[in-house]
């Protein structure tokens, strides 16, 4: 479990298809976490990589993650290439402060950045949600994770499947969202509470 408070950025060293008859995953992602983020990391530990919960499978100077097709199809990880920066969050400890909101790292779908409006105090980003079903899980002033970053929804336009989020300068300075441009895709995880409510009290 995660909170959406990004702890640092890391560099993708490589991403490649696993070519083996005995493979249990389809893609290998290799990331240079650096000493601070790697810390006491062990094989089997979970990390949020751009909002996707992945398991460390090999640790050396870099860290390897193996990814199945379901994850590749549901997220933007397949668009990564060597040299790209990614948002990193280690899993939540019970003794940690909860500064963001509860995240599972189970991405619901993908959004496309349609508009970026900058001002001195904030940057508003408009995102089109590709899967219309996700809109029923999104509420004004509710929580959402964009590439693993815990954010508050500021506007919703149901007809166009559009939402907006406001980024303060600190968020831009400490996450990959500052690198994003119009037309780029982002991972979207909606609030877990909304998903459970929608499941048991479906909105018609």
């Amino acid at each position: 479990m995660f909170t959406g408070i990004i702890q640092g950025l890391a560099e993708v060293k490589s991403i490649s298809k696993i070519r083996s008859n005995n493979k249990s995953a389809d893609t290998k992602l290799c990331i240079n976490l650096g000493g601070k983020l790697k810390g006491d990391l062990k094989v089997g530990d979970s990390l949020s990589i751009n909002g996707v919960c992945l398991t460390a499978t090999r640790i050396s100077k870099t860290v390897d993650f193996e990814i199945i097709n379901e994850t590749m199809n549901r997220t933007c990880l397949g668009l990564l290439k060597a040299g790209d920066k990614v948002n990193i969050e280690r899993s939540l400890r019970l003794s940690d402060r909860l500064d963001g909101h509860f995240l599972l790292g189970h991405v619901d779908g993908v959004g496309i950045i349609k508009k970026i409006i900058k001002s001195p105090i904030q940057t508003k980003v408009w995102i089109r949600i590709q899967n219309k079903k996700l809109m029923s899980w999104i509420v004004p002033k509710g929580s959402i994770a964009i590439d693993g970053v815990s954010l508050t929804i500021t506007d919703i336009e149901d007809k166009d499947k559009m939402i907006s989020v406001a980024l303060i300068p600190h968020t831009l300075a400490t996450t990959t969202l500052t690198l994003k441009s119009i037309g780029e895709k982002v991972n979207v995880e909606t609030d877990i509470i909304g998903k459970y409510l929608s499941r048991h009290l479906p909105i018609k």
Side-chain angles (χ1 to χ4, degrees), residues 17 23-27 67-75:
K17 288 289 184 181
K23 65 180 183 179
S24 57
D26 302 282
T27 303
I67 312 170
I68 62 173
N69 258 342
E70 165 69 11
T71 303
M72 296 298 288
N73 292 337
R74 190 178 286 268
T75 72

Side-chain angles (χ1 to χ4, degrees), residues 8-188:
L9 304 184
E11 181 181 336
V12 174
K13 299 303 291 182
S14 65
I15 183 167
S16 59
K17 288 289 184 181
I18 296 175
R19 305 188 184 281
S20 169
N21 293 329
N22 300 317
K23 65 180 183 179
S24 57
D26 302 282
T27 303
K28 183 173 78 171
L29 175 64
C30 179
I31 292 179
N32 182 8
L33 282 182
K36 181 180 178 181
L37 289 171
K38 191 162 62 173
D40 58 352
L41 185 70
K42 305 182 297 298
V43 169
D45 284 354
S46 297
L47 288 88
S48 171
I49 311 293
N50 274 0
V52 184
C53 179
L54 298 178
T55 300
T57 56
R58 181 177 176 273
I59 300 173
S60 56
K61 290 184 178 179
T62 56
V63 181
D64 290 354
F65 304 88
E66 294 180 354
I67 312 170
I68 62 173
N69 258 342
E70 165 69 11
T71 303
M72 296 298 288
N73 292 337
R74 190 178 286 268
T75 72
C76 301
L77 293 184
L79 300 176
L80 292 175
K81 59 187 183 301
D84 283 349
K85 299 291 186 181
V86 289
N87 294 319
I88 302 292
E89 183 186 354
R90 298 284 301 271
S91 57
L92 179 67
R93 293 173 176 168
L94 289 177
S95 59
D96 287 344
R97 285 192 178 91
L98 185 62
D99 290 322
H101 71 283
F102 282 126
L103 293 170
L104 301 179
H106 302 164
V107 169
D108 296 305
V110 170
I112 302 174
I113 296 175
K114 303 301 290 184
K115 191 164 40 175
I116 300 174
I117 304 171
K118 297 183 178 181
S119 74
I121 59 171
Q122 68 174 22
T123 296
K124 181 176 279 193
V125 179
W126 283 89
I127 299 167
R128 174 167 289 153
I129 306 299
Q130 288 192 299
N131 184 347
K132 184 179 180 179
K133 178 182 177 182
L134 303 189
M135 295 301 293
S136 65
W137 303 342
I138 296 171
V139 297
K141 307 307 177 186
S143 298
I144 197 166
I146 303 298
D147 271 358
V149 183
S150 176
L151 297 169
T152 300
I153 298 156
T154 51
D155 303 282
I156 298 177
E157 293 184 359
D158 286 305
K159 182 180 177 181
D160 297 322
K161 298 187 297 183
M162 295 269 285
I163 67 166
S164 75
V165 291
L167 312 178
I168 62 173
H170 175 77
T171 303
L172 288 172
T174 56
T175 73
T176 60
L177 296 181
T178 192
L179 305 173
K180 298 296 181 181
S181 56
I182 294 172
E184 288 197 60
K185 295 182 177 181
V186 289
N187 293 317
V188 176

